[in-house]
PDB file of all heavy atoms in Angstrom:
ATOM      1  N   ARG M  66     124.579 145.395  70.525  1.00 86.00           N
ATOM      2  CA  ARG M  66     125.764 145.703  69.724  1.00 86.00           C
ATOM      3  C   ARG M  66     127.029 145.489  70.549  1.00 86.00           C
ATOM      4  O   ARG M  66     128.026 144.970  70.047  1.00 86.00           O
ATOM      5  CB  ARG M  66     125.692 147.143  69.211  1.00 86.00           C
ATOM      6  CG  ARG M  66     126.890 147.520  68.340  1.00 86.00           C
ATOM      7  CD  ARG M  66     126.638 148.796  67.561  1.00 86.00           C
ATOM      8  NE  ARG M  66     126.317 149.921  68.423  1.00 86.00           N
ATOM      9  CZ  ARG M  66     126.078 151.149  67.972  1.00 86.00           C
ATOM     10  NH1 ARG M  66     126.097 151.383  66.672  1.00 86.00           N
ATOM     11  NH2 ARG M  66     125.798 152.130  68.802  1.00 86.00           N
ATOM     12  N   GLN M  67     126.985 145.862  71.826  1.00 84.00           N
ATOM     13  CA  GLN M  67     128.140 145.633  72.696  1.00 84.00           C
ATOM     14  C   GLN M  67     128.400 144.146  72.899  1.00 84.00           C
ATOM     15  O   GLN M  67     129.553 143.723  73.056  1.00 84.00           O
ATOM     16  CB  GLN M  67     127.910 146.300  74.057  1.00 84.00           C
ATOM     17  CG  GLN M  67     127.851 147.817  73.999  1.00 84.00           C
ATOM     18  CD  GLN M  67     127.561 148.404  75.356  1.00 84.00           C
ATOM     19  OE1 GLN M  67     128.323 148.218  76.293  1.00 84.00           O
ATOM     20  NE2 GLN M  67     126.456 149.111  75.481  1.00 84.00           N
ATOM     21  N   GLU M  87     130.436 154.498  70.500  1.00 38.00           N
ATOM     22  CA  GLU M  87     130.596 153.071  70.774  1.00 38.00           C
ATOM     23  C   GLU M  87     131.774 152.791  71.687  1.00 38.00           C
ATOM     24  O   GLU M  87     131.823 151.791  72.371  1.00 38.00           O
ATOM     25  CB  GLU M  87     130.774 152.305  69.462  1.00 38.00           C
ATOM     26  CG  GLU M  87     130.729 150.803  69.651  1.00 38.00           C
ATOM     27  CD  GLU M  87     130.646 150.067  68.347  1.00 38.00           C
ATOM     28  OE1 GLU M  87     130.268 150.681  67.351  1.00 38.00           O
ATOM     29  OE2 GLU M  87     130.963 148.871  68.330  1.00 38.00           O
ATOM     30  N   ARG M 121     144.130 152.341  68.509  1.00 78.00           N
ATOM     31  CA  ARG M 121     142.743 151.889  68.594  1.00 78.00           C
ATOM     32  C   ARG M 121     142.411 151.501  70.023  1.00 78.00           C
ATOM     33  O   ARG M 121     142.985 150.584  70.582  1.00 78.00           O
ATOM     34  CB  ARG M 121     142.509 150.694  67.673  1.00 78.00           C
ATOM     35  CG  ARG M 121     141.036 150.278  67.592  1.00 78.00           C
ATOM     36  CD  ARG M 121     140.924 148.889  66.974  1.00 78.00           C
ATOM     37  NE  ARG M 121     139.583 148.467  66.697  1.00 78.00           N
ATOM     38  CZ  ARG M 121     138.677 148.113  67.607  1.00 78.00           C
ATOM     39  NH1 ARG M 121     138.973 148.184  68.892  1.00 78.00           N
ATOM     40  NH2 ARG M 121     137.477 147.709  67.257  1.00 78.00           N
ATOM     41  N   ARG M 122     141.474 152.216  70.625  1.00 83.00           N
ATOM     42  CA  ARG M 122     141.080 151.930  71.998  1.00 83.00           C
ATOM     43  C   ARG M 122     140.062 150.806  72.033  1.00 83.00           C
ATOM     44  O   ARG M 122     139.330 150.568  71.087  1.00 83.00           O
ATOM     45  CB  ARG M 122     140.511 153.182  72.671  1.00 83.00           C
ATOM     46  CG  ARG M 122     141.519 154.313  72.790  1.00 83.00           C
ATOM     47  CD  ARG M 122     141.018 155.378  73.733  1.00 83.00           C
ATOM     48  NE  ARG M 122     140.895 154.862  75.080  1.00 83.00           N
ATOM     49  CZ  ARG M 122     139.973 155.264  75.952  1.00 83.00           C
ATOM     50  NH1 ARG M 122     139.078 156.162  75.597  1.00 83.00           N
ATOM     51  NH2 ARG M 122     139.926 154.758  77.162  1.00 83.00           N
ATOM     52  N   LEU M 123     140.014 150.122  73.163  1.00 87.00           N
ATOM     53  CA  LEU M 123     139.127 148.979  73.336  1.00 87.00           C
ATOM     54  C   LEU M 123     137.719 149.444  73.679  1.00 87.00           C
ATOM     55  O   LEU M 123     137.526 150.275  74.569  1.00 87.00           O
ATOM     56  CB  LEU M 123     139.658 148.070  74.448  1.00 87.00           C
ATOM     57  CG  LEU M 123     140.917 147.284  74.083  1.00 87.00           C
ATOM     58  CD1 LEU M 123     141.706 146.942  75.328  1.00 87.00           C
ATOM     59  CD2 LEU M 123     140.550 146.020  73.318  1.00 87.00           C
ATOM     60  N   THR M 124     136.737 148.894  72.999  1.00 88.00           N
ATOM     61  CA  THR M 124     135.341 149.209  73.268  1.00 88.00           C
ATOM     62  C   THR M 124     134.759 148.183  74.229  1.00 88.00           C
ATOM     63  O   THR M 124     135.372 147.153  74.528  1.00 88.00           O
ATOM     64  CB  THR M 124     134.523 149.195  71.968  1.00 88.00           C
ATOM     65  OG1 THR M 124     134.483 147.849  71.463  1.00 88.00           O
ATOM     66  CG2 THR M 124     135.143 150.110  70.918  1.00 88.00           C
ATOM     67  N   GLU M 125     133.548 148.465  74.713  1.00 88.00           N
ATOM     68  CA  GLU M 125     132.850 147.512  75.574  1.00 88.00           C
ATOM     69  C   GLU M 125     132.643 146.187  74.842  1.00 88.00           C
ATOM     70  O   GLU M 125     132.766 145.114  75.430  1.00 88.00           O
ATOM     71  CB  GLU M 125     131.494 148.091  75.991  1.00 88.00           C
ATOM     72  CG  GLU M 125     131.552 149.369  76.797  1.00 88.00           C
ATOM     73  CD  GLU M 125     131.706 149.103  78.285  1.00 88.00           C
ATOM     74  OE1 GLU M 125     131.117 148.159  78.782  1.00 88.00           O
ATOM     75  OE2 GLU M 125     132.426 149.861  78.934  1.00 88.00           O
ATOM     76  N   LYS M 126     132.324 146.267  73.573  1.00 88.00           N
ATOM     77  CA  LYS M 126     132.121 145.052  72.782  1.00 88.00           C
ATOM     78  C   LYS M 126     133.408 144.238  72.705  1.00 88.00           C
ATOM     79  O   LYS M 126     133.387 143.006  72.859  1.00 88.00           O
ATOM     80  CB  LYS M 126     131.649 145.425  71.376  1.00 88.00           C
ATOM     81  CG  LYS M 126     131.493 144.232  70.438  1.00 88.00           C
ATOM     82  CD  LYS M 126     131.070 144.691  69.059  1.00 88.00           C
ATOM     83  CE  LYS M 126     131.066 143.532  68.069  1.00 88.00           C
ATOM     84  NZ  LYS M 126     130.678 143.970  66.708  1.00 88.00           N
ATOM     85  N   ASP M 127     134.547 144.914  72.483  1.00 90.00           N
ATOM     86  CA  ASP M 127     135.835 144.213  72.443  1.00 90.00           C
ATOM     87  C   ASP M 127     136.094 143.483  73.754  1.00 90.00           C
ATOM     88  O   ASP M 127     136.494 142.312  73.773  1.00 90.00           O
ATOM     89  CB  ASP M 127     136.978 145.203  72.199  1.00 90.00           C
ATOM     90  CG  ASP M 127     136.884 145.909  70.863  1.00 90.00           C
ATOM     91  OD1 ASP M 127     136.256 145.363  69.935  1.00 90.00           O
ATOM     92  OD2 ASP M 127     137.445 147.017  70.756  1.00 90.00           O
ATOM     93  N   LEU M 128     135.873 144.190  74.872  1.00 91.00           N
ATOM     94  CA  LEU M 128     136.139 143.600  76.182  1.00 91.00           C
ATOM     95  C   LEU M 128     135.243 142.392  76.440  1.00 91.00           C
ATOM     96  O   LEU M 128     135.685 141.389  77.002  1.00 91.00           O
ATOM     97  CB  LEU M 128     135.943 144.648  77.283  1.00 91.00           C
ATOM     98  CG  LEU M 128     136.894 145.848  77.262  1.00 91.00           C
ATOM     99  CD1 LEU M 128     136.618 146.767  78.444  1.00 91.00           C
ATOM    100  CD2 LEU M 128     138.352 145.409  77.266  1.00 91.00           C
ATOM    101  N   MET M 129     133.986 142.488  76.037  1.00 91.00           N
ATOM    102  CA  MET M 129     133.078 141.363  76.245  1.00 91.00           C
ATOM    103  C   MET M 129     133.519 140.153  75.430  1.00 91.00           C
ATOM    104  O   MET M 129     133.452 139.009  75.898  1.00 91.00           O
ATOM    105  CB  MET M 129     131.647 141.765  75.883  1.00 91.00           C
ATOM    106  CG  MET M 129     130.631 140.634  76.034  1.00 91.00           C
ATOM    107  SD  MET M 129     130.580 139.908  77.703  1.00 91.00           S
ATOM    108  CE  MET M 129     129.769 141.229  78.611  1.00 91.00           C
ATOM    109  N   GLN M 130     133.993 140.383  74.210  1.00 90.00           N
ATOM    110  CA  GLN M 130     134.428 139.259  73.380  1.00 90.00           C
ATOM    111  C   GLN M 130     135.690 138.607  73.945  1.00 90.00           C
ATOM    112  O   GLN M 130     135.854 137.392  73.860  1.00 90.00           O
ATOM    113  CB  GLN M 130     134.651 139.735  71.941  1.00 90.00           C
ATOM    114  CG  GLN M 130     133.349 140.070  71.229  1.00 90.00           C
ATOM    115  CD  GLN M 130     133.557 140.519  69.796  1.00 90.00           C
ATOM    116  OE1 GLN M 130     134.137 141.564  69.536  1.00 90.00           O
ATOM    117  NE2 GLN M 130     133.083 139.739  68.856  1.00 90.00           N
ATOM    118  N   VAL M 131     136.576 139.400  74.524  1.00 91.00           N
ATOM    119  CA  VAL M 131     137.742 138.825  75.198  1.00 91.00           C
ATOM    120  C   VAL M 131     137.298 138.073  76.449  1.00 91.00           C
ATOM    121  O   VAL M 131     137.766 136.963  76.732  1.00 91.00           O
ATOM    122  CB  VAL M 131     138.761 139.923  75.563  1.00 91.00           C
ATOM    123  CG1 VAL M 131     139.895 139.352  76.412  1.00 91.00           C
ATOM    124  CG2 VAL M 131     139.331 140.566  74.308  1.00 91.00           C
ATOM    125  N   ALA M 132     136.376 138.671  77.206  1.00 90.00           N
ATOM    126  CA  ALA M 132     135.897 138.055  78.447  1.00 90.00           C
ATOM    127  C   ALA M 132     135.285 136.684  78.194  1.00 90.00           C
ATOM    128  O   ALA M 132     135.451 135.758  78.993  1.00 90.00           O
ATOM    129  CB  ALA M 132     134.878 138.973  79.126  1.00 90.00           C
ATOM    130  N   GLN M 133     134.580 136.545  77.086  1.00 89.00           N
ATOM    131  CA  GLN M 133     133.940 135.272  76.772  1.00 89.00           C
ATOM    132  C   GLN M 133     134.953 134.183  76.447  1.00 89.00           C
ATOM    133  O   GLN M 133     134.631 133.000  76.501  1.00 89.00           O
ATOM    134  CB  GLN M 133     132.972 135.458  75.599  1.00 89.00           C
ATOM    135  CG  GLN M 133     131.738 136.278  75.966  1.00 89.00           C
ATOM    136  CD  GLN M 133     130.885 136.630  74.761  1.00 89.00           C
ATOM    137  OE1 GLN M 133     131.357 136.621  73.628  1.00 89.00           O
ATOM    138  NE2 GLN M 133     129.627 136.953  74.998  1.00 89.00           N
ATOM    139  N   ARG M 134     136.193 134.576  76.134  1.00 88.00           N
ATOM    140  CA  ARG M 134     137.222 133.600  75.777  1.00 88.00           C
ATOM    141  C   ARG M 134     138.152 133.264  76.944  1.00 88.00           C
ATOM    142  O   ARG M 134     138.902 132.301  76.873  1.00 88.00           O
ATOM    143  CB  ARG M 134     138.063 134.134  74.610  1.00 88.00           C
ATOM    144  CG  ARG M 134     137.321 134.220  73.278  1.00 88.00           C
ATOM    145  CD  ARG M 134     138.181 134.936  72.233  1.00 88.00           C
ATOM    146  NE  ARG M 134     137.676 134.788  70.879  1.00 88.00           N
ATOM    147  CZ  ARG M 134     136.782 135.582  70.324  1.00 88.00           C
ATOM    148  NH1 ARG M 134     136.263 136.584  71.034  1.00 88.00           N
ATOM    149  NH2 ARG M 134     136.371 135.394  69.079  1.00 88.00           N
ATOM    150  N   PHE M 170     134.760 140.247  82.346  1.00 92.00           N
ATOM    151  CA  PHE M 170     134.433 141.526  81.716  1.00 92.00           C
ATOM    152  C   PHE M 170     134.718 142.695  82.651  1.00 92.00           C
ATOM    153  O   PHE M 170     135.346 143.691  82.266  1.00 92.00           O
ATOM    154  CB  PHE M 170     132.962 141.517  81.301  1.00 92.00           C
ATOM    155  CG  PHE M 170     132.489 142.806  80.683  1.00 92.00           C
ATOM    156  CD1 PHE M 170     132.930 143.201  79.436  1.00 92.00           C
ATOM    157  CD2 PHE M 170     131.593 143.621  81.355  1.00 92.00           C
ATOM    158  CE1 PHE M 170     132.492 144.385  78.861  1.00 92.00           C
ATOM    159  CE2 PHE M 170     131.149 144.806  80.792  1.00 92.00           C
ATOM    160  CZ  PHE M 170     131.602 145.188  79.542  1.00 92.00           C
ATOM    161  N   LEU M 173     138.411 143.332  83.069  1.00 93.00           N
ATOM    162  CA  LEU M 173     138.974 144.065  81.934  1.00 93.00           C
ATOM    163  C   LEU M 173     138.556 145.532  81.953  1.00 93.00           C
ATOM    164  O   LEU M 173     139.339 146.419  81.603  1.00 93.00           O
ATOM    165  CB  LEU M 173     138.536 143.402  80.627  1.00 93.00           C
ATOM    166  CG  LEU M 173     139.096 141.996  80.384  1.00 93.00           C
ATOM    167  CD1 LEU M 173     138.391 141.333  79.204  1.00 93.00           C
ATOM    168  CD2 LEU M 173     140.597 142.042  80.146  1.00 93.00           C
ATOM    169  N   ARG M 177     140.867 148.829  82.055  1.00 89.00           N
ATOM    170  CA  ARG M 177     140.691 149.931  81.106  1.00 89.00           C
ATOM    171  C   ARG M 177     140.503 151.261  81.824  1.00 89.00           C
ATOM    172  O   ARG M 177     141.040 152.294  81.399  1.00 89.00           O
ATOM    173  CB  ARG M 177     139.502 149.658  80.183  1.00 89.00           C
ATOM    174  CG  ARG M 177     139.401 150.667  79.040  1.00 89.00           C
ATOM    175  CD  ARG M 177     138.227 150.400  78.127  1.00 89.00           C
ATOM    176  NE  ARG M 177     136.956 150.690  78.780  1.00 89.00           N
ATOM    177  CZ  ARG M 177     135.795 150.731  78.128  1.00 89.00           C
ATOM    178  NH1 ARG M 177     135.755 150.469  76.831  1.00 89.00           N
ATOM    179  NH2 ARG M 177     134.679 150.991  78.771  1.00 89.00           N
ATOM    180  N   VAL M 186     144.200 148.279  72.089  1.00 89.00           N
ATOM    181  CA  VAL M 186     144.233 146.872  71.702  1.00 89.00           C
ATOM    182  C   VAL M 186     145.636 146.295  71.872  1.00 89.00           C
ATOM    183  O   VAL M 186     145.826 145.232  72.473  1.00 89.00           O
ATOM    184  CB  VAL M 186     143.764 146.711  70.242  1.00 89.00           C
ATOM    185  CG1 VAL M 186     143.985 145.287  69.767  1.00 89.00           C
ATOM    186  CG2 VAL M 186     142.295 147.093  70.109  1.00 89.00           C
ATOM    187  N   LEU M 189     146.681 145.810  75.599  1.00 89.00           N
ATOM    188  CA  LEU M 189     146.107 144.622  76.231  1.00 89.00           C
ATOM    189  C   LEU M 189     146.770 143.358  75.690  1.00 89.00           C
ATOM    190  O   LEU M 189     147.047 142.420  76.444  1.00 89.00           O
ATOM    191  CB  LEU M 189     144.599 144.568  75.989  1.00 89.00           C
ATOM    192  CG  LEU M 189     143.877 143.367  76.625  1.00 89.00           C
ATOM    193  CD1 LEU M 189     144.063 143.344  78.135  1.00 89.00           C
ATOM    194  CD2 LEU M 189     142.395 143.385  76.274  1.00 89.00           C
ATOM    195  N   PHE M 205     142.353 137.145  68.240  1.00 87.00           N
ATOM    196  CA  PHE M 205     141.262 138.116  68.158  1.00 87.00           C
ATOM    197  C   PHE M 205     141.793 139.540  68.310  1.00 87.00           C
ATOM    198  O   PHE M 205     141.435 140.440  67.539  1.00 87.00           O
ATOM    199  CB  PHE M 205     140.225 137.825  69.244  1.00 87.00           C
ATOM    200  CG  PHE M 205     139.193 138.896  69.401  1.00 87.00           C
ATOM    201  CD1 PHE M 205     138.223 139.106  68.429  1.00 87.00           C
ATOM    202  CD2 PHE M 205     139.182 139.712  70.520  1.00 87.00           C
ATOM    203  CE1 PHE M 205     137.268 140.099  68.568  1.00 87.00           C
ATOM    204  CE2 PHE M 205     138.237 140.711  70.663  1.00 87.00           C
ATOM    205  CZ  PHE M 205     137.285 140.901  69.689  1.00 87.00           C
ATOM    206  N   LEU M 206     142.663 139.756  69.302  1.00 88.00           N
ATOM    207  CA  LEU M 206     143.228 141.090  69.498  1.00 88.00           C
ATOM    208  C   LEU M 206     144.092 141.500  68.309  1.00 88.00           C
ATOM    209  O   LEU M 206     144.103 142.668  67.917  1.00 88.00           O
ATOM    210  CB  LEU M 206     144.038 141.123  70.797  1.00 88.00           C
ATOM    211  CG  LEU M 206     143.222 140.996  72.092  1.00 88.00           C
ATOM    212  CD1 LEU M 206     144.136 140.857  73.297  1.00 88.00           C
ATOM    213  CD2 LEU M 206     142.290 142.192  72.266  1.00 88.00           C
ATOM    214  N   LEU M 209     141.932 142.840  65.684  1.00 84.00           N
ATOM    215  CA  LEU M 209     141.471 144.199  65.963  1.00 84.00           C
ATOM    216  C   LEU M 209     142.536 145.227  65.615  1.00 84.00           C
ATOM    217  O   LEU M 209     142.217 146.346  65.208  1.00 84.00           O
ATOM    218  CB  LEU M 209     141.097 144.337  67.443  1.00 84.00           C
ATOM    219  CG  LEU M 209     139.895 143.532  67.940  1.00 84.00           C
ATOM    220  CD1 LEU M 209     139.666 143.800  69.420  1.00 84.00           C
ATOM    221  CD2 LEU M 209     138.647 143.863  67.144  1.00 84.00           C
ATOM    222  N   ASP M 212     142.231 146.537  62.200  1.00 56.00           N
ATOM    223  CA  ASP M 212     141.033 147.291  61.802  1.00 56.00           C
ATOM    224  C   ASP M 212     141.393 148.718  61.417  1.00 56.00           C
ATOM    225  O   ASP M 212     142.245 149.326  62.035  1.00 56.00           O
ATOM    226  CB  ASP M 212     140.021 147.320  62.953  1.00 56.00           C
ATOM    227  CG  ASP M 212     139.365 145.958  63.143  1.00 56.00           C
ATOM    228  OD1 ASP M 212     139.597 145.079  62.296  1.00 56.00           O
ATOM    229  OD2 ASP M 212     138.641 145.797  64.139  1.00 56.00           O
TER     230      ASP M 212
END
Side-chain angles (χ1 to χ4, degrees):
R66 181 165 57 179
Q67 294 177 61
E87 189 169 341
R121 187 195 187 288
R122 297 193 65 212
L123 288 154
T124 67
E125 298 274 322
K126 176 182 173 181
D127 297 336
L128 296 182
M129 178 57 73
Q130 289 181 294
V131 173
Q133 290 172 339
R134 291 172 167 87
F170 178 69
L173 294 169
R177 189 180 70 169
V186 172
L189 181 59
F205 170 70
L206 292 172
L209 294 180
D212 288 352

